[in-house]
Every structure is written in structure tokens, then in C-alpha cells.
Amino acid sequence: MNGWMAGGIALAAAVGVLLPLQALINARLGQATEGALFASFASFFVGTLVLAVALLATRTPLPGLRTLAGLPAWIWAGGLIGALFVLCATVLVPKLGAAGLICLVVGGQLVGSLLFDHFGVLGPVRPMDAWRVLGAVLVAIGAVLVLRPVQAG
């Protein structure tokens, strides 16, 4: 494994550690202010500001209006999906806990990813096989174990 791959894996794991923290912070902000919708907006607003500064700092060229207008409408769905995730996480983490929320999200991501890969949605076809399905089943079992009600001792 080369250094770039190892760094990428470490970065992905670090971001994974931060996602439940983001949900917890947003939930706390929602409780302390006007609710989950405001907290989700605030999260996206701060993120947008950070990315705007990064664009300016790196002098990344911006696409022209003609390029943007020529893109298919579905290309903007990523922002919609991100907003939906942040809002759902902000609402659900107080009810499910950070671990429960992330288990369900990861389970959903795994099922979706297997289907998107299998059918080649926006990328090459990567057929499902028994090992990949077994991995998804094991994640589902793990989610059930994390979400199970705590038994009174």
C-alpha cells in the first residue's frame, strides 16, 4: 500500500469519527436554538463559508455560467441529499444516540452502494457476490445489536 492510499484510509477513518460528533453538535444546537431545521441550516452555512475560503485560498477556478447551465438537473441532488442527511441526523441523534444513527446510516449506505455498484449507477458495474452480501448482512446484525434496547439488570 502506497503512502497516498494509507493517508486516504486514515483521512476517511478520521472523517468517520467526526460524523457522529457533527450530529451530536447539531442536535445540541437545535435544542439550544430554534430547532433542527435552524441547526441544519447553520451547519451548512458554516460549511459553505469554510469551503468558500478554501476556494479563494487555493485559487480554484470556478466554472462559467454556460458550463453550469449545461449540466443536468440531477447533478445538484448531492446538496439536497447532504441537507437531508444533516437534518435527519440532527433530529434523530437525540432519539437513537450517535451509535444507533451511524449504524443505520452505514447500513443504508452499504445497501445503496451494493445496488448502485451492481447496476452501474453513475459508475462501472461491480456485480454483487456472496461475500459482499454477507458483509451487508453482518453490518445489519451489528446495527441490530447496537440498537437493541438495554436490558434492565
Side-chain angles (χ1 to χ4, degrees):
M1 181 181 320
N2 65 33
W4 283 104
M5 181 62 77
I9 290 170
L11 180 60
V15 169
V17 168
L18 294 175
L19 282 177
L21 181 60
Q22 177 197 30
L24 289 163
I25 290 168
N26 289 345
R28 184 65 57 91
L29 178 60
Q31 291 167 344
T33 61
E34 302 301 318
L37 191 57
F38 173 78
S40 299
F41 170 79
S43 178
F44 263 75
F45 183 73
V46 170
T48 299
L49 291 177
V50 168
L51 291 173
V53 168
L55 280 171
L56 292 172
T58 60
R59 297 182 178 178
T60 300
L62 301 178
L65 289 177
R66 183 170 288 160
T67 299
L68 294 175
L71 295 172
W74 60 262
I75 206 84
W76 307 107
L80 177 64
I81 294 166
L84 181 61
F85 168 75
V86 169
L87 179 60
C88 286
T90 302
V91 169
L92 294 174
V93 80
K95 295 165 179 47
L96 299 173
L101 171 81
I102 295 300
C103 279
L104 291 169
V105 167
V106 168
Q109 287 176 322
L110 187 54
V111 169
S113 297
L114 286 171
L115 291 171
F116 298 148
D117 280 354
H118 183 75
F119 293 107
V121 176
L122 300 177
V125 171
R126 292 182 177 93
M128 263 189 261
D129 62 20
W131 290 109
R132 297 178 92 197
V133 172
L134 176 62
V137 168
L138 291 173
V139 169
I141 291 168
V144 168
L145 291 175
V146 169
L147 290 166
R148 78 186 188 329
V150 177
Q151 302 296 322

